[in-house]
């Protein structure tokens, strides 16, 4: 199933303190992940994390293409 993802800028904990990152929220269940960086690659990595961490063990396609 294709699932929309809400993406916003946030500060995330880096190796040397806070850094720019993204917060991604699954519009299906509300699960969220935070990733370092603000690029399309960071958003894509967030989609990978959703796939691994889905609390409902669903096999979804997370649509972050509009961020690229």
């Amino acid at each position: 199933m294709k699932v929309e993802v809400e993406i916003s800028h946030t500060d995330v904990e880096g190796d040397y303190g806070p850094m720019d990152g993204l917060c991604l929220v699954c519009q299906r269940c509300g699960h969220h992940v935070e990733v370092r960086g603000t690029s399309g690659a960071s958003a894509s990595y967030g989609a990978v994390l959703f796939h691994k961490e889905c609390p409902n063990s669903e096999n979804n396609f997370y649509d972050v293409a509009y961020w690229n």
Side-chain angles (χ1 to χ4, degrees), residues 21-34:
L22 299 174
C23 179
L24 294 84
V25 180
C26 174
Q27 296 300 292
R28 183 167 166 83
C29 72
H31 180 67
H32 77 279
V33 297
E34 292 182 349

Side-chain angles (χ1 to χ4, degrees), residues 22-67:
L22 299 174
C23 179
L24 294 84
V25 180
C26 174
Q27 296 300 292
R28 183 167 166 83
C29 72
H31 180 67
H32 77 279
V33 297
E34 292 182 349
V35 295
R36 296 177 186 173
T38 58
S39 68
S42 296
S44 295
Y45 180 63
V48 170
L49 291 178
F50 274 138
H51 192 72
K52 287 182 176 181
E53 298 178 6
C54 178
N56 300 323
S57 300
E58 295 178 350
N59 191 17
N60 297 318
F61 171 77
Y62 298 96
D63 186 11
V64 296
Y66 62 87
W67 190 262

